[in-house]
Amino acid sequence: MQPDNMLSPEKQTILIVDDSPENIKILNQILRDDYLITVATSGDAAISHIKTRLNDNSNNPPNTNTSQHLPDIILLDIMMPSMDGYEVCRQIKNNPKTSDIPVIFITAKDEVEDEEMGFKLGAVDYITKPISHPIVKARVKNHLLIKRQHDCLRNSISILHHKAEILQQKAELGMLAAGLAHDINNILFVAMMIENLQYLIPDDLQERSMIDEHIKRAIESLEMGRDICHGFTNYLKDIGEEEMVHNFPPLLKPLDMFQRTFKVKLIKEIPPNLPYIKCKGSQIKRLVLNIFMNACQAVEAKKNGRIIIRAWSENERLFFSINDNGDGIPDHILPHIFEEHYTTRKDGNGLGLAMVQKIVNSHNGTIDCSTAIGEGTTFTLSFPVV
Ligand SMILES: Nc1ncnc2c1ncn2[C@@H]1O[C@H](COP(=O)(O)OP(=O)(O)OP(=O)(O)O)[C@@H](O)[C@H]1O
Ligand SMILES: [Mg+2]
């Protein structure tokens, strides 16, 4: 056993197994410039070389890449005393840790039966004696290329498996967290009954103002808890959701409930047979809801407040607009409306349109706002159709 070259991380390694010094010399000359060569002069030496490499690898801590210590390819002579090439090949192919190493047999010309036998045992190719330089070079190069691609593919598959496992764990955690948020939300809902206490306590009771103050604080905390739960539940819904093909009108469904709460007149001008869009449904619902809530707030104080939602398709895109007849957006406010935390409302967070913008961007969409003081505001959006 004699390693002829220094270890080089880039070079692939070849194990030459042959009992003929002449053959070893020729193969070495042909291949040594491009590869790292190791030689075994018998079948037993080849097997013990591989076993040593396997033991080295198993003693190394995980994640250290020692697989290069195993040969990337084996050039194997068939006729050898004691253990012949077939037996060496059989043992290599029977071990799952080495079965992927390509084996090329070196045979005397015209030994067709030998070749068949070798292929049955799992060899990838043959080199016939007398050895031809260009053929050896080409065959070794091709099989090493295939081996490298195979290794890359296997690495990618194992990374994908790992990622799939992480995603699975995330999904399970998400389910747990969603269940928890849901339960806490229900508990908070019942606890909100504390609100009714203030109506039950007689006005003339001593310390009434103190009791009112405590109730107020408790309600504020409960409300905050419910807000956090809602935000959390929505977040979990979003991360677990895949993009799917959606028909647009059903995505407007949540508006009906909010329309009843705000008691606003909602006109829908939605033609039938609109093209479908590929999107995360819950995100588009949140987007529509946020623009709609802003419109509701804009017309809240108006006598004849109304909101019109239109949809149409044009140039492979689905368009829809939400128009209100509120006061419009003043020039000095308009450039800021999509900024995070920008709000002109007393109880606003300034997060609605910033979130809308993010959803639009992640769906390859567009958004446009046109507004006129005293007349109202229209947000127009578009998304690519499927
Ligand atoms: N339809 C509209 N009419 C008039 N002003 C609007 C309209 N839509 C948005 N705006 C203006 O844009 C600002 C930012 O809107 P955005 O939805 O981001 O935040 P917000 O409504 O103030 O708070 P929230 O985070 O609760 O949604 C609003 O405060 C308001 O000044
Ligand atoms: Mg808003």
Side-chain angles (χ1 to χ4, degrees):
M1 181 71 44
Q2 63 244 16
D4 289 359
N5 305 48
M6 289 286 289
L7 265 179
S8 136
E10 296 90 25
K11 280 189 175 175
Q12 288 173 289
T13 53
I14 301 177
L15 173 63
I16 299 173
V17 188
D18 204 318
D19 61 333
S20 145
E22 186 56 25
N23 275 348
I24 293 170
K25 199 173 148 201
I26 297 169
L27 288 169
N28 208 3
Q29 273 169 359
I30 301 170
L31 300 165
R32 71 178 165 208
D33 287 345
D34 300 318
Y35 307 104
L36 193 84
I37 309 287
T38 305
V39 173
T41 50
S42 70
D44 297 294
I47 292 297
S48 74
H49 167 78
I50 288 168
K51 276 189 182 153
T52 315
R53 299 291 149 131
L54 281 175
N55 285 342
D56 282 356
N57 283 357
S58 64
N59 289 336
N60 276 308
N63 298 330
T64 48
N65 183 10
T66 52
S67 60
Q68 68 261 36
H69 290 203
L70 278 170
D72 289 300
I73 197 163
I74 299 172
L75 303 186
L76 186 56
D77 185 25
I78 294 178
M79 300 302 286
M80 287 183 293
S82 174
M83 190 190 290
D84 67 8
Y86 294 136
E87 182 52 31
V88 176
C89 185
R90 194 175 287 120
Q91 290 198 21
I92 289 167
K93 295 294 161 188
N94 277 346
N95 185 340
K97 288 181 181 161
T98 54
S99 60
D100 283 345
I101 304 173
V103 172
I104 298 181
F105 272 122
I106 305 162
T107 65
K109 246 189 178 150
D110 300 333
E111 291 173 334
V112 181
E113 278 170 24
D114 293 352
E115 293 184 9
E116 278 175 12
M117 172 74 168
F119 278 126
K120 269 186 202 150
L121 288 173
V124 290
D125 213 340
Y126 273 87
I127 293 169
T128 46
K129 295 185 230 174
I131 289 163
S132 141
H133 286 218
I135 288 178
V136 169
K137 272 203 155 190
R139 296 221 166 130
V140 166
K141 191 177 163 195
N142 285 344
H143 287 294
L144 280 174
L145 187 69
I146 295 169
K147 164 86 167 32
R148 195 160 255 176
Q149 286 167 344
H150 182 260
D151 288 349
C152 276
L153 203 67
R154 206 176 33 190
N155 275 347
S156 308
I157 290 170
S158 91
I159 289 169
L160 278 177
H161 271 299
H162 184 61
K163 281 190 176 163
E165 261 170 37
I166 291 174
L167 276 178
Q168 164 97 19
Q169 283 164 358
K170 269 190 179 170
E172 279 164 17
L173 252 176
M175 292 274 284
L176 255 171
L180 198 66
H182 182 255
D183 290 348
I184 293 173
N185 197 37
N186 284 346
I187 294 165
L188 291 176
F189 180 75
V190 176
M192 283 291 281
M193 302 297 175
I194 196 174
E195 203 173 2
N196 298 329
L197 266 185
Q198 57 195 317
Y199 309 113
L200 299 175
I201 303 166
D203 281 347
D204 54 357
L205 191 80
Q206 258 189 356
E207 321 251 5
R208 164 77 210 227
S209 65
M210 278 272 281
I211 295 170
D212 279 351
E213 185 58 30
H214 283 306
I215 293 174
K216 204 173 135 212
R217 283 208 203 138
I219 291 168
E220 276 170 10
S221 304
L222 290 171
E223 278 171 353
M224 198 197 285
R226 295 196 77 195
D227 278 355
I228 291 170
C229 274
H230 279 149
F232 195 50
T233 320
N234 283 335
Y235 170 74
L236 287 168
K237 254 193 228 154
D238 281 1
I239 50 170
E241 189 179 5
E242 294 285 328
E243 279 201 352
M244 279 176 28
V245 174
H246 284 274
N247 191 9
F248 180 66
L251 298 175
L252 299 176
K253 221 152 191 310
L255 301 190
D256 298 336
M257 191 183 88
F258 280 83
Q259 178 207 358
R260 285 195 292 277
T261 312
F262 278 89
K263 297 192 180 70
V264 67
K265 187 172 177 200
L266 172 64
I267 302 161
K268 286 187 196 165
E269 293 180 5
I270 314 284
N273 303 328
L274 279 170
Y276 284 41
I277 54 173
K278 193 170 181 206
C279 63
K280 294 188 175 184
S282 71
Q283 288 203 2
I284 299 296
K285 282 182 188 165
R286 287 171 72 192
L287 167 150
V288 170
L289 205 58
N290 268 281
I291 300 173
F292 180 75
M293 295 270 279
N294 286 347
C296 288
Q297 284 150 0
V299 299
E300 213 173 7
K302 291 248 157 186
K303 240 184 168 182
N304 298 319
R306 55 105 191 106
I307 295 168
I308 306 174
I309 300 188
R310 296 188 175 92
W312 66 98
S313 77
E314 202 179 300
N315 296 334
E316 300 291 303
R317 294 184 81 83
L318 176 99
F319 283 81
F320 64 94
S321 65
I322 301 179
N323 162 264
D324 66 67
N325 61 348
D327 289 338
I329 307 176
D331 280 353
H332 68 283
I333 290 177
L334 193 59
H336 304 289
I337 57 172
F338 290 102
E339 287 168 16
E340 220 161 89
H341 303 299
Y342 181 86
T343 181
T344 57
R345 293 193 301 108
K346 222 174 82 205
D347 56 348
N349 296 308
L351 294 177
L353 288 180
M355 188 187 69
V356 164
Q357 181 75 70
K358 276 189 197 144
I359 297 174
V360 166
N361 292 347
S362 68
H363 283 81
N364 200 10
T366 63
I367 183 163
D368 172 72
C369 172
S370 70
T371 183
I373 297 300
E375 287 178 26
T377 303
T378 307
F379 282 89
T380 306
L381 295 97
S382 83
F383 293 97
V385 302
V386 181

